[in-house]
Amino acid sequence: HSTVDCASCHTSGYTGTPQECISCHQDKYNEAPEHSAQNYPTTCELCHSTNTWEETDFDHNNTNFPLTGSHSSFNG
């Protein structure tokens, strides 16, 4: 969001602007086949940063499903 002009999304001002990412990014969620197939949450900020959609900040070690044993060498 830091590189996007505010007015490009807030064409009618800021009143009533949804706070949830999915409100504006449902199309991105739907385009990623694993998201809906795996029932990923629609709280985008759990895995993605606001700097870029493609990069994720997801860390299994900060979830209920940490990667352990032979899985610990995998990223994400």
Side-chain angles (χ1 to χ4, degrees), residues 60-61 65-76:
H60 265 278
N61 294 320
F65 304 102
L67 298 177
T68 60
S70 62
H71 294 103
S72 62
S73 63
F74 292 105
N75 290 326

Side-chain angles (χ1 to χ4, degrees), residues 36-48:
S36 57
Q38 298 294 323
N39 292 319
Y40 284 12
T42 57
T43 45
C44 308
E45 68 277 7
L46 290 177
C47 301
H48 297 275

Side-chain angles (χ1 to χ4, degrees), residues 1 10 13-25 42-45 50:
H1 292 105
H10 297 279
Y14 301 98
T15 303
T17 301
Q19 298 295 309
E20 297 80 23
C21 301
I22 198 69
S23 298
C24 296
H25 299 287
T42 57
T43 45
C44 308
E45 68 277 7
T50 57

Side-chain angles (χ1 to χ4, degrees), residues 45-52 55-60 62:
E45 68 277 7
L46 290 177
C47 301
H48 297 275
S49 75
T50 57
N51 294 326
T52 177
E55 292 180 21
T56 63
D57 295 331
F58 185 77
D59 181 358
H60 265 278
N62 293 326

